Amino acid sequence: MPSARSRLALSAAAAIAAIALASCSAPAPTLSATATAAPSSTPTGPAVDFAPVLRLVIERLDLAPEVAASKYFSGQPVTDAAREQAVLDAASAAATEAGADPAYVVAVFADQIAASKEVQESLLAQWAAGESAAPAEAPDLATEVRPVLDRITTELVPALAATAPFAADPGCGAALADDTAEVLVASPLTSEVAAAVATATSSLCD
């Protein structure tokens, strides 16, 4: 007569055999069942938030009327080639330090300069023609305006480092347009400044 240990071993063997037979007889999963189990992937566009860049771009552009007022009283021309090149050189150096694409950053900063000049030229023309009231006073460019512009530069370069990898994405333009619309709602601008936003953002997407 088999011992208790022998009976336990036989029972275990029988159970394993039953499981094996059941596994062999079970139908294999069909291709359709496997396919429906896999999650679907739907393109959602670039995962980039342009709002931090746009807020800084608008803050910078919103200083253009003050720059125009200063030049109205001083008689300085709108174009200051030496200053513009210094801004671009500083942006390029900051981009390299931040690990951003210098060409991308310099292109965006060139747009900031062009947009600011658009606002300045528009306002100066209006004031000269008497189409709108000329300013009664103006801030000092060197001590009041340029320190703010320099501070914006130090903040804008790292923000651009985050958006640069998405510039060539097919959905970049749509994402930029959506974020621009949202930021503009929260940032009331003069008509001259608002008209220059398109120039200021023209190199954010390829």
Side-chain angles (χ1 to χ4, degrees):
M1 180 176 180
S3 63
R5 179 175 295 180
S6 298
R7 288 196 301 272
L8 181 60
L10 290 171
S11 297
I16 292 171
I19 293 172
L21 287 172
S23 298
C24 292
S25 61
T30 64
L31 180 60
S32 60
T34 304
T36 54
S40 61
S41 58
T42 303
T44 57
V48 57
D49 181 11
F50 282 104
V53 168
L54 291 168
R55 293 188 191 99
L56 291 167
V57 164
I58 289 172
E59 182 184 2
R60 192 183 195 286
L61 192 55
D62 216 20
L63 291 171
E66 295 184 29
V67 176
S70 178
K71 292 180 178 179
Y72 175 78
F73 283 100
S74 69
Q76 290 179 279
V78 169
T79 298
D80 183 345
R83 168 66 182 174
E84 292 171 13
Q85 190 59 52
V87 169
L88 297 179
D89 290 344
S92 179
T96 300
E97 185 176 348
D101 178 7
Y104 176 78
V105 171
V106 168
V108 173
F109 269 85
D111 290 344
Q112 307 318 299
I113 293 171
S116 177
K117 290 164 70 171
E118 284 181 14
V119 176
Q120 293 175 53
E121 289 168 352
S122 175
L123 290 173
L124 288 168
Q126 291 177 43
W127 298 336
E131 296 173 359
S132 62
E137 57 183 9
D140 183 86
L141 269 183
T143 62
E144 297 180 61
V145 178
R146 284 177 179 163
V148 179
L149 292 172
D150 292 341
R151 188 264 302 165
I152 292 173
T153 295
T154 64
E155 296 178 12
L156 183 54
V157 170
L160 289 173
T163 62
F166 300 93
D169 191 288
C172 184
L176 175 60
D178 290 344
D179 288 346
T180 301
E182 291 183 10
V183 171
L184 287 178
V185 167
S187 307
L189 303 173
T190 65
S191 59
E192 294 81 12
V193 172
V197 170
T199 297
T201 59
S202 59
S203 292
L204 289 175
C205 295
D206 291 347

